[in-house]
Every structure is written in structure tokens, then in C-alpha cells.
Amino acid sequence: MSRILLLIVVLFPGTVLADELNSGDTAWILTSTALVLFMTLPGLALFYSGLVRAKNVLSVLMQCFAIACLVSIMWMLGVYGLAFGDGGSANQVIGLGNVLLSDISLDSMSGPIPEIVFFMFQMTFGIITPALIVGGFAERMKFSAVLWFSALWLVLVYAPVCHWVWGGGWLSDMGFMDFAGGAVVHINAGVAAIIAAVMLGNRKGFPSTPMAPHNMTLTVAGAGMLWVGWFGFNGGSALTSSSSAGMAIAVTHISAAAGSLAWMLCEWIKYEKPSVLGIVTGMVAGLGTITPASGFVGPMGGLAIGLIAGVVCFYATQYVKRVLQIDDSLDVFPVHGVGGILGTLLTAIFYANSFGGLATDEAYSILSQLGVQAIGVVVTIVWCGVITFGLLKLIDVFIGLRVDEDEETEGLDLVLHNERGYNM
């Protein structure tokens, strides 16, 4: 049979055979899977750990590492099925099946790549999303509460929204555009982070006591890993080694650079000195904001989105920290949440050919698509907000969310893990 298929391809090179393995696409998604995991371990882990105080560096590393392990097992046990399974009559809302990967074999295909490869690629998205939320409650949440929250949130928030957008759910049917996770990853993580920050309360001493990052070298190293890993995040979401993946990577890089420079200039003008923390945070803002648009816009769109992201996320951070005085410890909401909202809405604008986008429908309407994007944004915020609030309340009743004041003063590294990050 395989020889017959090979003969058809040789005689008719334009023929596309359904569910035939494409080795190039498979190799690219395998590479992208490694890149996205690299974003969390070690990228995000180092980025976050450098931003906290020295007495809490290990607690952040531990949280990122443990979440990666926990989500991996849960994804195999059944969360993958909730996100990407066929839900039958309930498919608009949630998927079903694939418990313990029972429906996947070596011959199972997801388009031109093995389904097990698709399973692994999507797992890495499931890992990084709850790991991003860590930045909202850093330095004060119990480790046991982190694990319970991450597990329940993955099932009740991440999996449904993922199914709505990427698994054939109702948002997908509406034509909602989210190439690599503006709503699924960044809005979800940002909203959950700020709700957690408000419910746990500010760190002891915030905002009057300075809480400067203890090791910017770690943060910059982690930022570089995030930038590189994001090529797999956005480029891999094309699910093919094609010009689409190439364009996604190009606009991702352009937006990251533009976001960095825009944030740096805002900080330079406002505080007279540009900081390393500012330029790397601007990079993350540019990356997060381009994520939903990365497969739909051209280079000019990537530049515009990055510049807008750097400015808007900078002022959003100032507003949350200084005006609202909410201790979103590592700025998850103003960078990822606001960036995700902004990028999801801007996708509708910069997808248009008149703005250098990749729209192929001559009748494409910016206003019509903007309405669809707005619905997706609002629904994601409401769903994530309500479920996150309920989960945190529930966990607080049973095991408590926050360490006590004395434990917070001593530091989570010693209190929760009986270790120090630096023995000097």
C-alpha cells in the first residue's frame, strides 16, 4: 500500500493525501514542542526567580517546575481530551474522550503530523499558562495551594477556553481569531493572576517598602530564553513547516524588538534612565501581544502591535502598581492580560490587507471581526474571573491560601522547602 501511495506522489506531485505523514511538518512541531517547554523550564522560571527577593528565589523555581510535572500528568490522564476531544452533542462547550490517551496509537494522525506529536505540543501550552499565573501571587502563597489551584484551574478554566477556540468549540465556529494563545493563554493567565493578587492581598510592606528584583542577571537570561522559545510558541502554532510559520516567527521577533524599545523610551522619558528590567518587560509585552495575531498579520502589523504593546502595557503597569496599588507581584495582568486583550482586538485590524495583513477574503470586514474578537475577550475574562474567584475561595476554606506574616518575613524558601537559594 505504501508503495502505491509513493507512486501516486511521484506521478502526481501536487496530490495531497489525507492523513499522510509529513516528515518536515512533524520535525518542526517536535522542535517547537521543545522550544515551548524551554520557555517555561528554564525560561520563565529564571525570568520570574530573578524578579523576586533572594529569600523566595527557590519557591518560584519550585512552583514552575512542579506545575510542569503536574500539568504533564493531568494532560495525559484526560485534560487533553477535554480540550481537543470530540464532545459529541456537547462539542460546542467541551471535548470528551482520550482518557489515558486511549484513542491515540502510533497510526493516529492530526492532519499531516502524528497525533502524539500534537498532544505533546499542546501540552506545553497547558504547562506555561498556569505557570504564568505564579507571578501574580509570588512570595506569599502556600505551595500546597499553588498545586491545588493549578490542577483545578487547568481543568475548569484552561481546558474549556482552549476547546472553544482551538478544539472546534463555539468561539471557533464564530470565526474568533487566536493564532497562538491571546485569549487561551495570556488573557486567561492575566485575569487569574490579578484576581489571585487581590484575594491574597499585598505582600507585607507593599507599596511603601522597596521590593527590588534580587538578581537581574537571572531575569535577563530567562528573558532571552523566552524570546527564543516564543518562536516555537507562535511559529509552531502554524502546525506546518511553511511560509506561514516563517511569517509568524518574523512578526514575533519584530514585535518583541519594538515592544522592548517602546517600553524603554517610555521609561527613559518618565524616569530619565532606561532600565534593564524595563527593556526585558517590554519584550515580553511585545511577545504576548503579537501572539494572537502572529499568523494573521504582516511585518508592518508586527511592528505596530509591538510599539503599541510597549506603550500601553507600560502605562497599565504603572496604573495597577501605583494608582490601584494591587500587588500583582511580577506584573502578569498589565503585561500578559492587557497585552492579550490588546493583541486579540488588534488582530481584527491588522489582518486586513489595507494594513499589510494576510486576509484572503476580499469582503473581509474589520468591524465585523472586531465584534467577534470583543465577544471572545469578554467571555474569556468573565469565565476565567468567575471560576478563578470560586477556586481560590474554595481552597482558602479547606487549606488556606497564604503563609502567615512571620513565614512571609522569613521567606518561602526556608519555610516551605527548607532550602536557601544562596548559601554564603
Side-chain angles (χ1 to χ4, degrees):
M1 184 64 178
S2 60
R3 291 183 179 180
I4 294 174
L5 294 175
L6 179 61
L7 181 61
I8 292 174
V9 172
V10 171
L11 294 177
F12 306 99
T15 302
V16 176
L17 298 172
D19 295 330
E20 265 306 290
L21 176 70
N22 185 303
S23 58
D25 292 343
T26 302
W28 169 234
I29 304 308
L30 286 169
T31 303
S32 296
T33 300
L35 285 170
V36 182
L37 184 60
F38 184 69
M39 288 172 63
T40 307
L41 304 171
L44 184 69
L46 290 177
F47 184 80
Y48 274 0
S49 65
L51 293 174
V52 298
R53 289 167 290 181
K55 61 185 178 180
N56 296 311
V57 57
L58 290 182
S59 70
V60 173
L61 292 170
M62 180 68 166
Q63 288 166 12
C64 289
F65 206 96
I67 286 171
C69 298
L70 178 65
V71 171
S72 297
I73 301 304
M74 291 186 64
W75 197 251
M76 183 201 74
L77 291 177
V79 179
Y80 171 71
L82 295 176
F84 291 98
D86 183 356
S89 59
N91 195 57
Q92 291 288 299
V93 180
I94 198 69
L96 298 170
N98 252 328
V99 176
L100 292 172
L101 301 187
S102 57
D103 299 332
I104 295 181
S105 68
L106 286 176
D107 298 325
S108 301
M109 299 294 293
S110 178
I113 65 174
E115 188 174 3
I116 193 65
V117 176
F118 180 77
F119 160 84
M120 280 297 301
F121 179 65
Q122 292 298 336
M123 177 197 287
T124 59
F125 282 68
I127 288 170
I128 198 169
T129 308
L132 286 171
I133 304 171
V134 166
F137 51 67
E139 302 196 285
R140 59 199 188 277
M141 193 170 187
K142 292 180 179 178
F143 183 60
S144 57
V146 172
L147 295 180
W148 275 109
F149 173 73
S150 298
L152 295 171
W153 190 89
L154 181 76
V155 173
L156 298 176
V157 177
Y158 183 83
V161 176
C162 182
H163 185 77
W164 300 345
V165 177
W166 293 334
W170 67 277
L171 278 176
S172 174
D173 287 351
M174 281 185 64
F176 182 68
M177 301 170 71
D178 185 359
F179 191 74
V184 179
V185 176
H186 296 288
I187 296 177
N188 261 340
V191 171
I194 198 165
I195 288 175
V198 171
M199 291 183 68
L200 267 78
N202 296 342
R203 286 170 292 178
K204 185 180 177 181
F206 180 91
S208 57
T209 303
M211 297 181 183
H214 90 282
N215 192 330
M216 279 303 302
T217 304
L218 287 181
T219 295
V220 175
M225 295 171 188
L226 283 171
W227 193 334
V228 173
W230 225 289
F231 291 160
F233 198 77
N234 290 354
S237 293
L239 296 177
T240 176
S241 57
S242 64
S243 57
S244 176
M247 181 62 79
I249 288 175
V251 299
T252 296
H253 187 76
I254 291 167
S255 183
S260 294
L261 294 177
W263 189 298
M264 181 189 75
L265 288 173
C266 288
E267 192 175 58
W268 206 337
I269 292 168
K270 187 174 180 65
Y271 299 113
E272 298 183 350
K273 291 182 180 180
S275 71
V276 174
L277 176 58
I279 198 169
V280 297
T281 307
M283 175 213 73
V284 176
L287 289 170
T289 307
I290 194 61
T291 290
S294 55
F296 305 119
V297 305
M300 291 306 296
L303 177 62
I305 288 173
L307 292 173
I308 295 169
V311 175
V312 172
C313 292
F314 172 80
Y315 284 103
T317 301
Q318 301 296 307
Y319 185 74
V320 170
K321 289 280 194 187
R322 299 176 185 276
V323 178
L324 300 179
Q325 294 190 347
I326 296 174
D327 189 15
D328 180 352
S329 310
L330 309 182
D331 303 321
V332 184
F333 178 75
V335 174
H336 294 277
V338 172
I341 293 168
L342 188 63
T344 301
L345 297 176
L346 290 176
T347 298
I349 298 172
F350 290 101
Y351 180 56
N353 296 138
S354 54
F355 289 98
L358 308 180
T360 55
D361 185 358
E362 294 182 1
Y364 174 75
S365 167
I366 292 177
L367 287 179
S368 176
Q369 187 62 45
L370 195 57
V372 174
Q373 298 299 100
I375 290 172
V377 167
V378 171
V379 168
T380 303
I381 291 172
V382 172
W383 180 266
C384 178
V386 171
I387 301 298
T388 298
F389 178 82
L391 286 177
L392 290 171
K393 277 289 187 184
L394 187 67
I395 294 168
D396 195 28
V397 168
F398 284 97
I399 63 173
L401 289 173
R402 183 168 178 162
V403 298
D404 62 40
E405 282 195 11
D406 290 339
E407 290 174 328
E408 186 178 340
T409 299
E410 188 174 359
L412 303 191
D413 290 359
L414 275 175
V415 168
L416 299 181
H417 307 295
N418 198 32
E419 295 173 300
R420 292 181 187 273
Y422 306 97
N423 294 307
M424 298 179 183

